Amino acid sequence: MSVVISDEILQASHLTPSEFCQEIALFLFQTGRLTIGYASQLADMQPNSFRQLLKQRNIPLYSYEVEDFELDLKNLRELGRL
């Protein structure tokens, strides 16, 4: 599938076509809609370069929620490690 972005929208965004794709890829990765592999493909970047871009933007590679932490604590307690 191809998506066409009009020149008018590109001009309004003040981004190049490449930058526009990177912004979409960053957003979709950050919201959990794409994996790093697919996001780097969409951004037309190598995965390591995309990771660097994430780092520059202060976007974490992993999402670690409070629920994840609580589950980890529970499991460690059950294993007798806490």
Side-chain angles (χ1 to χ4, degrees), residues 44-66:
D44 195 26
M45 300 174 78
Q46 293 296 317
N48 285 338
S49 298
F50 190 73
R51 283 186 189 94
Q52 287 296 84
L53 183 58
L54 291 170
K55 184 178 179 180
Q56 291 169 0
R57 298 289 188 90
N58 294 316
I59 299 171
L61 272 175
Y62 306 102
S63 175
Y64 192 68
E65 304 293 331
V66 172

PDB file of all heavy atoms in Angstrom, residues 44-66:
ATOM      1  N   ASP A  44      12.909   4.777   6.866  1.00  0.00           N
ATOM      2  CA  ASP A  44      13.974   4.488   5.898  1.00  0.00           C
ATOM      3  C   ASP A  44      15.351   4.665   6.543  1.00  0.00           C
ATOM      4  O   ASP A  44      16.241   5.321   6.008  1.00  0.00           O
ATOM      5  CB  ASP A  44      13.838   5.360   4.654  1.00  0.00           C
ATOM      6  CG  ASP A  44      14.680   4.846   3.485  1.00  0.00           C
ATOM      7  OD1 ASP A  44      14.956   3.634   3.435  1.00  0.00           O
ATOM      8  OD2 ASP A  44      15.081   5.671   2.638  1.00  0.00           O
ATOM      9  N   MET A  45      15.482   4.071   7.732  1.00  0.00           N
ATOM     10  CA  MET A  45      16.727   4.157   8.497  1.00  0.00           C
ATOM     11  C   MET A  45      17.119   2.761   8.966  1.00  0.00           C
ATOM     12  O   MET A  45      16.256   1.904   9.145  1.00  0.00           O
ATOM     13  CB  MET A  45      16.544   5.051   9.732  1.00  0.00           C
ATOM     14  CG  MET A  45      16.145   6.470   9.433  1.00  0.00           C
ATOM     15  SD  MET A  45      15.776   7.390  10.950  1.00  0.00           S
ATOM     16  CE  MET A  45      17.441   7.740  11.513  1.00  0.00           C
ATOM     17  N   GLN A  46      18.411   2.575   9.191  1.00  0.00           N
ATOM     18  CA  GLN A  46      18.872   1.356   9.830  1.00  0.00           C
ATOM     19  C   GLN A  46      18.382   1.374  11.276  1.00  0.00           C
ATOM     20  O   GLN A  46      18.277   2.447  11.884  1.00  0.00           O
ATOM     21  CB  GLN A  46      20.403   1.275   9.796  1.00  0.00           C
ATOM     22  CG  GLN A  46      20.979   1.099   8.404  1.00  0.00           C
ATOM     23  CD  GLN A  46      20.554  -0.233   7.795  1.00  0.00           C
ATOM     24  OE1 GLN A  46      20.556  -1.264   8.460  1.00  0.00           O
ATOM     25  NE2 GLN A  46      20.184  -0.193   6.526  1.00  0.00           N
ATOM     26  N   PRO A  47      18.082   0.201  11.858  1.00  0.00           N
ATOM     27  CA  PRO A  47      17.588   0.178  13.241  1.00  0.00           C
ATOM     28  C   PRO A  47      18.493   0.926  14.229  1.00  0.00           C
ATOM     29  O   PRO A  47      17.985   1.634  15.110  1.00  0.00           O
ATOM     30  CB  PRO A  47      17.502  -1.313  13.575  1.00  0.00           C
ATOM     31  CG  PRO A  47      17.247  -1.953  12.242  1.00  0.00           C
ATOM     32  CD  PRO A  47      18.046  -1.133  11.259  1.00  0.00           C
ATOM     33  N   ASN A  48      19.809   0.798  14.099  1.00  0.00           N
ATOM     34  CA  ASN A  48      20.706   1.511  15.022  1.00  0.00           C
ATOM     35  C   ASN A  48      20.594   3.023  14.862  1.00  0.00           C
ATOM     36  O   ASN A  48      20.643   3.761  15.848  1.00  0.00           O
ATOM     37  CB  ASN A  48      22.154   1.060  14.844  1.00  0.00           C
ATOM     38  CG  ASN A  48      22.397  -0.301  15.457  1.00  0.00           C
ATOM     39  OD1 ASN A  48      21.662  -0.741  16.337  1.00  0.00           O
ATOM     40  ND2 ASN A  48      23.426  -0.978  14.994  1.00  0.00           N
ATOM     41  N   SER A  49      20.439   3.485  13.646  1.00  0.00           N
ATOM     42  CA  SER A  49      20.268   4.926  13.412  1.00  0.00           C
ATOM     43  C   SER A  49      18.935   5.398  13.983  1.00  0.00           C
ATOM     44  O   SER A  49      18.845   6.502  14.542  1.00  0.00           O
ATOM     45  CB  SER A  49      20.323   5.240  11.921  1.00  0.00           C
ATOM     46  OG  SER A  49      21.583   4.898  11.392  1.00  0.00           O
ATOM     47  N   PHE A  50      17.903   4.564  13.851  1.00  0.00           N
ATOM     48  CA  PHE A  50      16.601   4.927  14.409  1.00  0.00           C
ATOM     49  C   PHE A  50      16.681   4.977  15.930  1.00  0.00           C
ATOM     50  O   PHE A  50      16.106   5.874  16.555  1.00  0.00           O
ATOM     51  CB  PHE A  50      15.522   3.946  13.942  1.00  0.00           C
ATOM     52  CG  PHE A  50      14.128   4.391  14.283  1.00  0.00           C
ATOM     53  CD1 PHE A  50      13.529   5.426  13.594  1.00  0.00           C
ATOM     54  CD2 PHE A  50      13.416   3.774  15.291  1.00  0.00           C
ATOM     55  CE1 PHE A  50      12.243   5.857  13.904  1.00  0.00           C
ATOM     56  CE2 PHE A  50      12.136   4.181  15.616  1.00  0.00           C
ATOM     57  CZ  PHE A  50      11.552   5.225  14.914  1.00  0.00           C
ATOM     58  N   ARG A  51      17.421   4.047  16.524  1.00  0.00           N
ATOM     59  CA  ARG A  51      17.614   4.078  17.987  1.00  0.00           C
ATOM     60  C   ARG A  51      18.303   5.381  18.409  1.00  0.00           C
ATOM     61  O   ARG A  51      17.961   5.959  19.429  1.00  0.00           O
ATOM     62  CB  ARG A  51      18.446   2.877  18.445  1.00  0.00           C
ATOM     63  CG  ARG A  51      17.685   1.594  18.500  1.00  0.00           C
ATOM     64  CD  ARG A  51      18.545   0.471  19.100  1.00  0.00           C
ATOM     65  NE  ARG A  51      17.899  -0.796  18.962  1.00  0.00           N
ATOM     66  CZ  ARG A  51      18.097  -1.653  17.969  1.00  0.00           C
ATOM     67  NH1 ARG A  51      18.967  -1.381  17.013  1.00  0.00           N
ATOM     68  NH2 ARG A  51      17.444  -2.796  17.921  1.00  0.00           N
ATOM     69  N   GLN A  52      19.271   5.813  17.631  1.00  0.00           N
ATOM     70  CA  GLN A  52      19.957   7.079  17.929  1.00  0.00           C
ATOM     71  C   GLN A  52      18.980   8.248  17.861  1.00  0.00           C
ATOM     72  O   GLN A  52      19.030   9.160  18.679  1.00  0.00           O
ATOM     73  CB  GLN A  52      21.124   7.306  16.969  1.00  0.00           C
ATOM     74  CG  GLN A  52      22.317   6.427  17.236  1.00  0.00           C
ATOM     75  CD  GLN A  52      22.932   6.730  18.587  1.00  0.00           C
ATOM     76  OE1 GLN A  52      22.503   6.225  19.622  1.00  0.00           O
ATOM     77  NE2 GLN A  52      23.942   7.571  18.587  1.00  0.00           N
ATOM     78  N   LEU A  53      18.097   8.214  16.866  1.00  0.00           N
ATOM     79  CA  LEU A  53      17.085   9.266  16.737  1.00  0.00           C
ATOM     80  C   LEU A  53      16.156   9.258  17.946  1.00  0.00           C
ATOM     81  O   LEU A  53      15.814  10.315  18.483  1.00  0.00           O
ATOM     82  CB  LEU A  53      16.291   9.078  15.441  1.00  0.00           C
ATOM     83  CG  LEU A  53      15.239  10.124  15.109  1.00  0.00           C
ATOM     84  CD1 LEU A  53      15.841  11.523  15.025  1.00  0.00           C
ATOM     85  CD2 LEU A  53      14.527   9.754  13.818  1.00  0.00           C
ATOM     86  N   LEU A  54      15.767   8.068  18.402  1.00  0.00           N
ATOM     87  CA  LEU A  54      14.951   7.961  19.605  1.00  0.00           C
ATOM     88  C   LEU A  54      15.675   8.578  20.796  1.00  0.00           C
ATOM     89  O   LEU A  54      15.083   9.317  21.580  1.00  0.00           O
ATOM     90  CB  LEU A  54      14.619   6.497  19.912  1.00  0.00           C
ATOM     91  CG  LEU A  54      13.671   5.790  18.959  1.00  0.00           C
ATOM     92  CD1 LEU A  54      13.636   4.292  19.264  1.00  0.00           C
ATOM     93  CD2 LEU A  54      12.284   6.384  19.016  1.00  0.00           C
ATOM     94  N   LYS A  55      16.956   8.276  20.904  1.00  0.00           N
ATOM     95  CA  LYS A  55      17.757   8.801  22.014  1.00  0.00           C
ATOM     96  C   LYS A  55      17.819  10.326  21.950  1.00  0.00           C
ATOM     97  O   LYS A  55      17.651  11.003  22.975  1.00  0.00           O
ATOM     98  CB  LYS A  55      19.162   8.209  21.960  1.00  0.00           C
ATOM     99  CG  LYS A  55      20.045   8.597  23.115  1.00  0.00           C
ATOM    100  CD  LYS A  55      21.399   7.921  23.008  1.00  0.00           C
ATOM    101  CE  LYS A  55      22.293   8.321  24.158  1.00  0.00           C
ATOM    102  NZ  LYS A  55      23.612   7.682  24.062  1.00  0.00           N
ATOM    103  N   GLN A  56      18.025  10.886  20.765  1.00  0.00           N
ATOM    104  CA  GLN A  56      18.081  12.338  20.598  1.00  0.00           C
ATOM    105  C   GLN A  56      16.765  12.997  21.005  1.00  0.00           C
ATOM    106  O   GLN A  56      16.755  14.116  21.525  1.00  0.00           O
ATOM    107  CB  GLN A  56      18.384  12.701  19.144  1.00  0.00           C
ATOM    108  CG  GLN A  56      19.773  12.358  18.697  1.00  0.00           C
ATOM    109  CD  GLN A  56      19.935  12.501  17.188  1.00  0.00           C
ATOM    110  OE1 GLN A  56      19.012  12.863  16.470  1.00  0.00           O
ATOM    111  NE2 GLN A  56      21.137  12.190  16.706  1.00  0.00           N
ATOM    112  N   ARG A  57      15.666  12.302  20.778  1.00  0.00           N
ATOM    113  CA  ARG A  57      14.341  12.847  21.084  1.00  0.00           C
ATOM    114  C   ARG A  57      13.873  12.479  22.493  1.00  0.00           C
ATOM    115  O   ARG A  57      12.751  12.781  22.876  1.00  0.00           O
ATOM    116  CB  ARG A  57      13.311  12.326  20.082  1.00  0.00           C
ATOM    117  CG  ARG A  57      13.580  12.719  18.647  1.00  0.00           C
ATOM    118  CD  ARG A  57      13.316  14.209  18.429  1.00  0.00           C
ATOM    119  NE  ARG A  57      13.397  14.535  17.036  1.00  0.00           N
ATOM    120  CZ  ARG A  57      12.371  14.509  16.194  1.00  0.00           C
ATOM    121  NH1 ARG A  57      11.178  14.200  16.617  1.00  0.00           N
ATOM    122  NH2 ARG A  57      12.550  14.787  14.926  1.00  0.00           N
ATOM    123  N   ASN A  58      14.719  11.783  23.242  1.00  0.00           N
ATOM    124  CA  ASN A  58      14.362  11.328  24.595  1.00  0.00           C
ATOM    125  C   ASN A  58      13.121  10.432  24.598  1.00  0.00           C
ATOM    126  O   ASN A  58      12.274  10.526  25.489  1.00  0.00           O
ATOM    127  CB  ASN A  58      14.160  12.504  25.547  1.00  0.00           C
ATOM    128  CG  ASN A  58      15.444  13.260  25.775  1.00  0.00           C
ATOM    129  OD1 ASN A  58      16.493  12.649  25.970  1.00  0.00           O
ATOM    130  ND2 ASN A  58      15.386  14.568  25.735  1.00  0.00           N
ATOM    131  N   ILE A  59      13.030   9.570  23.593  1.00  0.00           N
ATOM    132  CA  ILE A  59      11.943   8.598  23.512  1.00  0.00           C
ATOM    133  C   ILE A  59      12.511   7.257  23.958  1.00  0.00           C
ATOM    134  O   ILE A  59      13.468   6.756  23.359  1.00  0.00           O
ATOM    135  CB  ILE A  59      11.386   8.493  22.069  1.00  0.00           C
ATOM    136  CG1 ILE A  59      10.823   9.849  21.620  1.00  0.00           C
ATOM    137  CG2 ILE A  59      10.333   7.395  21.973  1.00  0.00           C
ATOM    138  CD1 ILE A  59      10.459   9.916  20.153  1.00  0.00           C
ATOM    139  N   PRO A  60      11.955   6.675  25.023  1.00  0.00           N
ATOM    140  CA  PRO A  60      12.514   5.417  25.528  1.00  0.00           C
ATOM    141  C   PRO A  60      12.298   4.251  24.568  1.00  0.00           C
ATOM    142  O   PRO A  60      11.297   4.200  23.848  1.00  0.00           O
ATOM    143  CB  PRO A  60      11.762   5.190  26.842  1.00  0.00           C
ATOM    144  CG  PRO A  60      10.524   5.996  26.733  1.00  0.00           C
ATOM    145  CD  PRO A  60      10.820   7.137  25.810  1.00  0.00           C
ATOM    146  N   LEU A  61      13.262   3.335  24.567  1.00  0.00           N
ATOM    147  CA  LEU A  61      13.152   2.128  23.752  1.00  0.00           C
ATOM    148  C   LEU A  61      12.062   1.206  24.276  1.00  0.00           C
ATOM    149  O   LEU A  61      11.426   0.500  23.506  1.00  0.00           O
ATOM    150  CB  LEU A  61      14.473   1.355  23.765  1.00  0.00           C
ATOM    151  CG  LEU A  61      15.509   1.733  22.731  1.00  0.00           C
ATOM    152  CD1 LEU A  61      16.790   0.964  22.956  1.00  0.00           C
ATOM    153  CD2 LEU A  61      14.994   1.524  21.341  1.00  0.00           C
ATOM    154  N   TYR A  62      11.895   1.190  25.572  1.00  0.00           N
ATOM    155  CA  TYR A  62      10.950   0.274  26.205  1.00  0.00           C
ATOM    156  C   TYR A  62       9.980   1.057  27.068  1.00  0.00           C
ATOM    157  O   TYR A  62      10.339   2.043  27.684  1.00  0.00           O
ATOM    158  CB  TYR A  62      11.694  -0.746  27.078  1.00  0.00           C
ATOM    159  CG  TYR A  62      12.759  -1.482  26.321  1.00  0.00           C
ATOM    160  CD1 TYR A  62      14.099  -1.137  26.474  1.00  0.00           C
ATOM    161  CD2 TYR A  62      12.432  -2.482  25.421  1.00  0.00           C
ATOM    162  CE1 TYR A  62      15.084  -1.799  25.764  1.00  0.00           C
ATOM    163  CE2 TYR A  62      13.413  -3.142  24.703  1.00  0.00           C
ATOM    164  CZ  TYR A  62      14.736  -2.801  24.884  1.00  0.00           C
ATOM    165  OH  TYR A  62      15.707  -3.447  24.172  1.00  0.00           O
ATOM    166  N   SER A  63       8.770   0.551  27.130  1.00  0.00           N
ATOM    167  CA  SER A  63       7.756   1.151  27.985  1.00  0.00           C
ATOM    168  C   SER A  63       7.608   0.251  29.200  1.00  0.00           C
ATOM    169  O   SER A  63       7.208  -0.904  29.091  1.00  0.00           O
ATOM    170  CB  SER A  63       6.432   1.239  27.224  1.00  0.00           C
ATOM    171  OG  SER A  63       5.430   1.708  28.076  1.00  0.00           O
ATOM    172  N   TYR A  64       7.959   0.763  30.365  1.00  0.00           N
ATOM    173  CA  TYR A  64       7.890   0.010  31.612  1.00  0.00           C
ATOM    174  C   TYR A  64       6.907   0.719  32.519  1.00  0.00           C
ATOM    175  O   TYR A  64       7.214   1.736  33.122  1.00  0.00           O
ATOM    176  CB  TYR A  64       9.289  -0.063  32.243  1.00  0.00           C
ATOM    177  CG  TYR A  64       9.429  -1.049  33.373  1.00  0.00           C
ATOM    178  CD1 TYR A  64       9.346  -2.410  33.144  1.00  0.00           C
ATOM    179  CD2 TYR A  64       9.659  -0.607  34.664  1.00  0.00           C
ATOM    180  CE1 TYR A  64       9.496  -3.324  34.178  1.00  0.00           C
ATOM    181  CE2 TYR A  64       9.805  -1.505  35.711  1.00  0.00           C
ATOM    182  CZ  TYR A  64       9.719  -2.864  35.457  1.00  0.00           C
ATOM    183  OH  TYR A  64       9.866  -3.758  36.482  1.00  0.00           O
ATOM    184  N   GLU A  65       5.707   0.179  32.584  1.00  0.00           N
ATOM    185  CA  GLU A  65       4.615   0.806  33.327  1.00  0.00           C
ATOM    186  C   GLU A  65       4.634   0.373  34.791  1.00  0.00           C
ATOM    187  O   GLU A  65       5.279  -0.596  35.160  1.00  0.00           O
ATOM    188  CB  GLU A  65       3.271   0.427  32.691  1.00  0.00           C
ATOM    189  CG  GLU A  65       3.156   0.769  31.219  1.00  0.00           C
ATOM    190  CD  GLU A  65       3.135   2.244  30.931  1.00  0.00           C
ATOM    191  OE1 GLU A  65       2.671   3.016  31.794  1.00  0.00           O
ATOM    192  OE2 GLU A  65       3.592   2.642  29.853  1.00  0.00           O
ATOM    193  N   VAL A  66       3.882   1.075  35.611  1.00  0.00           N
ATOM    194  CA  VAL A  66       3.762   0.750  37.030  1.00  0.00           C
ATOM    195  C   VAL A  66       3.254  -0.683  37.201  1.00  0.00           C
ATOM    196  O   VAL A  66       3.733  -1.431  38.057  1.00  0.00           O
ATOM    197  CB  VAL A  66       2.827   1.758  37.749  1.00  0.00           C
ATOM    198  CG1 VAL A  66       2.535   1.311  39.172  1.00  0.00           C
ATOM    199  CG2 VAL A  66       3.435   3.148  37.725  1.00  0.00           C
TER     200      VAL A  66
END
